[in-house]
Amino acid sequence: MVKTNNQHIILPGFIKAVEVEASDQLSTNNKSPRRKFDLLQPLRKRLDKIEIKNRDFAHFIAKMIPAQCPFERDLMLFGHKIAHIPPLCKLNPLYDEFVSLRFRALCYLVDECGEDIQSYC
């Protein structure tokens, strides 16, 4: 719930009230938002611009980028779970771009080449 002009506004669950309140504070203070400098932005743009136009390249991408995080493990001892190693893929700053590239490669294989991609899933 956000309070504006002494009135309460109920926002849907997918809108974060913190962002709304922060943007209201910025507009009332007439301060421009501080821009963050991202060193990986050129590499992100380059990965997003890669077009899949070759069947062999699409197969290479689909094989090299795993479908799920390979590091997530449950450590078992005598049939009992003693520890859980969480997925560490989200620590990779380019994780979303690699997943998107893999998805585009799989879509190319299905749409353009008419191949079955169940072996990659």
Side-chain angles (χ1 to χ4, degrees):
M1 192 177 326
V2 179
K3 184 177 180 182
T4 58
N5 297 336
N6 296 328
Q7 295 178 349
H8 294 285
I9 299 174
I10 298 175
L11 299 174
F14 58 86
I15 298 176
K16 294 182 181 176
V18 175
E19 292 175 357
V20 173
E21 290 172 357
S23 64
D24 288 341
Q25 289 174 359
L26 286 176
S27 63
T28 57
N29 294 338
N30 292 330
K31 293 182 181 177
S32 62
R34 189 171 184 180
R35 299 183 82 190
K36 293 182 180 178
F37 184 70
D38 187 10
L39 291 173
L40 296 175
Q41 189 62 28
L43 187 56
R44 284 190 176 109
K45 286 183 181 180
R46 190 167 185 166
L47 284 171
D48 285 337
K49 288 182 183 179
I50 294 176
E51 293 183 20
I52 311 294
K53 295 182 180 178
N54 183 347
R55 174 180 283 174
D56 294 330
F57 183 59
H59 280 290
F60 175 75
I61 293 295
K63 287 179 186 175
M64 292 303 295
I65 300 173
Q68 55 185 328
C69 188
F71 303 112
E72 183 176 20
R73 297 279 187 263
D74 287 329
L75 299 178
M76 305 290 279
L77 182 65
F78 302 116
H80 298 289
K81 181 175 153 182
I82 59 171
H84 176 76
I85 301 172
L88 302 174
C89 293
K90 279 297 195 175
L91 296 177
N92 180 356
L94 300 172
Y95 174 77
D96 292 329
E97 285 76 16
F98 284 127
V99 170
S100 173
L101 181 62
R102 183 177 195 277
F103 180 74
R104 289 189 311 239
L106 292 175
C107 287
Y108 176 82
L109 289 173
V110 170
D111 296 340
E112 302 296 325
C113 303
E115 293 189 19
D116 182 29
I117 59 166
Q118 285 190 354
S119 61
Y120 294 111
C121 298

